[in-house]
Amino acid sequence: MKTIKRMMDHMYWADERILESLEDCETKNKDLLKLVRHVAVAERVWLSRLQGKGSAEYTLWEETDDLTAIRTMFEENAEEYRVYIEGLEESELDEIIDYMNQSGVPFRTSVRDILLQVLLHGQYHRGQINRILRSESAEPAQVDYITFARL
């Protein structure tokens, strides 16, 4: 449980670093903003599933130019994940969650694997976001775990 909590803390930190980089460069790149929004919405979708709620209301890939709304979603996600994780016992990590994906296909996955999906999915896309920032001659965000661990 300690490792998952630490990794979640890294996710909140890395999401914030990415947002700061995007705000600093004042990007209007629609593909980049769509990707950042996707990360925030995916975090929300998985959280809804963990909470036993549906996720059909969320659209994973949608264009936006509103970085403020994306920031708000990340902040709300972080707060709700903190509450969820604090209420989670080690023994609950292997509980199975029944849910449907965005296409309505049913799945069963452990809490542990869902949390790992959230963590790894975000890090994958943060790498893509940094690549796009670099291609626009903007400063990419340093989001490596080791950088976070050294703080």
Side-chain angles (χ1 to χ4, degrees):
M1 195 67 200
K2 182 178 177 183
T3 299
I4 287 179
K5 285 182 179 182
R6 184 81 169 141
M7 291 175 70
M8 293 298 291
D9 287 340
H10 169 259
M11 181 184 81
Y12 313 139
W13 172 86
D15 286 344
E16 176 62 27
R17 300 284 306 251
I18 286 290
L19 287 167
E20 289 171 358
S21 288
L22 292 168
E23 289 165 349
D24 287 348
C25 76
E26 299 178 354
T27 186
K28 300 295 182 211
N29 180 322
K30 290 187 184 225
D31 290 333
L32 178 56
L33 292 172
K34 183 177 183 178
L35 185 56
V36 175
R37 182 190 174 281
H38 169 76
V39 174
V41 173
E43 286 179 11
R44 176 70 51 90
V45 163
W46 285 110
L47 180 62
S48 293
R49 292 170 181 166
L50 288 166
Q51 293 170 328
K53 303 174 187 172
S55 62
E57 67 190 85
Y58 301 109
T59 304
L60 285 167
W61 293 103
E62 187 175 287
E63 286 193 7
T64 185
D65 60 359
D66 189 351
L67 191 55
T68 301
I70 296 170
R71 172 176 278 290
T72 298
M73 192 179 313
F74 274 119
E75 289 170 354
E76 290 171 355
N77 288 347
E79 181 57 34
E80 288 188 45
Y81 269 108
R82 283 184 178 103
V83 169
Y84 177 80
I85 295 294
E86 283 308 311
L88 193 63
E89 298 292 329
E90 179 86 30
S91 61
E92 294 173 301
L93 287 173
D94 294 316
E95 285 185 6
I96 300 298
I97 303 290
D98 292 305
Y99 61 93
M100 286 193 272
N101 70 7
Q102 299 310 99
S103 300
V105 178
F107 287 95
R108 304 183 82 226
T109 308
S110 72
V111 169
R112 181 187 315 274
D113 286 339
I114 289 172
L115 290 173
L116 289 173
Q117 166 62 21
V118 172
L119 293 161
L120 295 172
H121 176 263
Q123 193 65 355
Y124 169 75
H125 285 306
R126 283 188 289 276
Q128 292 178 316
I129 292 162
N130 271 333
R131 182 184 49 77
I132 296 168
L133 284 169
R134 236 181 238 107
S135 74
E136 292 187 350
S137 300
E139 189 66 32
Q142 175 52 266
V143 294
D144 284 349
Y145 178 82
I146 197 65
T147 302
F148 166 77
R150 290 175 181 154
L151 297 176

